[in-house]
């Protein structure tokens, strides 16, 4: 059943849409961060941080579910098949996203107003998500061939 879901065009298109939306989100939030840093000299306000955390958590949850489904269906073969490079790349992005969110939640629960500047190095990896769009181009071509 999970295998059929993974191979369905509906699932693939929804993952592609998620990747695209996440890419737009990363670009917009990076732009907002730069504007805020240049104009006020500090990070974004708490309300914006809350919405960002909700969005990042949602994207990470979707990617985790996708990865778990793939691991359930393909097992460790996922990391040695013809798409192993993309699969390893996706796996690493999911791991870094989960670690990033874990740090944020741990710090947020310990202090009311956390200073997350030390996580910027880890957050740079979020720009790697933009590279997933390259994968969309390849997969869209494959979907056209299937239809």
């Amino acid at each position: 059943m999970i295998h059929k879901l993974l191979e369905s065009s509906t699932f693939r298109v929804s993952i592609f849409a998620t990747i695209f939306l996440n890419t737009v989100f990363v670009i917009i939030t990076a732009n907002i961060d730069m504007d805020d840093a240049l104009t006020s000299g500090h990070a974004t306000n708490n309300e914006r941080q809350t919405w960002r955390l909700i969005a990042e958590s949602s994207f990470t949850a979707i990617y985790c579910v996708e990865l778990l489904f793939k691991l359930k269906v393909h097992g460790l073969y996922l990391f040695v098949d013809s798409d192993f490079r993309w699969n390893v790349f996706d796996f690493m992005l999911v791991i870094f996203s989960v670690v990033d969110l874990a740090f944020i939640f741990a710090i947020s629960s310990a202090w009311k107003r956390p200073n997350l500047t030390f996580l910027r190095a880890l957050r740079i990896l979020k720009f790697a998500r933009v590279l997933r769009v390259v994968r969309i181009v390849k997969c869209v071509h494959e979907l056209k061939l299937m239809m």
Side-chain angles (χ1 to χ4, degrees):
M1 183 171 128
I2 295 175
H3 184 269
K4 287 183 180 181
L5 176 68
L6 279 176
E7 297 301 319
S8 72
S9 59
T10 304
F11 184 79
R12 286 185 180 196
V13 167
S14 40
I15 292 297
F16 297 153
T18 302
I19 293 168
F20 179 76
L21 289 173
N22 190 296
T23 301
V24 170
F25 175 78
V26 167
I27 292 168
I28 289 171
T29 56
N31 189 39
I32 290 170
D33 286 347
M34 289 301 293
D35 286 344
D36 286 349
L38 292 174
T39 58
S40 64
H42 58 79
T44 57
N45 64 34
N46 284 340
E47 183 178 326
R48 208 178 298 156
Q49 289 285 2
T50 301
W51 282 107
R52 177 179 295 176
L53 187 58
I54 291 169
E56 288 178 4
S57 299
S58 300
F59 287 126
T60 301
I62 292 168
Y63 295 142
C64 284
V65 168
E66 177 197 19
L67 179 64
L68 290 174
F69 282 176
K70 285 182 176 182
L71 285 170
K72 175 75 173 161
V73 170
H74 302 293
L76 294 179
Y77 183 71
L78 185 69
F79 301 110
V80 294
D81 69 357
S82 61
D83 284 335
F84 81 94
R85 287 182 182 96
W86 283 114
N87 294 332
V88 169
F89 178 71
D90 289 344
F91 179 78
M92 295 306 293
L93 284 178
V94 170
I95 294 299
F96 285 128
S97 295
V98 169
V99 168
D100 182 39
L101 286 174
F103 275 124
I104 291 170
F105 282 122
I107 291 170
S108 295
S109 65
W111 299 292
K112 293 294 181 200
R113 292 182 177 223
N115 183 357
L116 303 177
T117 55
F118 74 94
L119 288 176
R120 286 188 182 151
L122 188 60
R123 289 178 166 256
I124 289 172
L125 292 172
K126 289 186 181 193
F127 285 107
R129 290 181 188 169
V130 175
L131 295 175
R132 289 188 83 180
V133 173
V134 174
R135 188 175 187 182
I136 290 175
V137 174
K138 176 187 170 202
C139 293
V140 166
H141 177 70
E142 290 175 3
L143 281 174
K144 285 183 183 177
L145 292 177
M146 289 180 3
M147 292 181 171

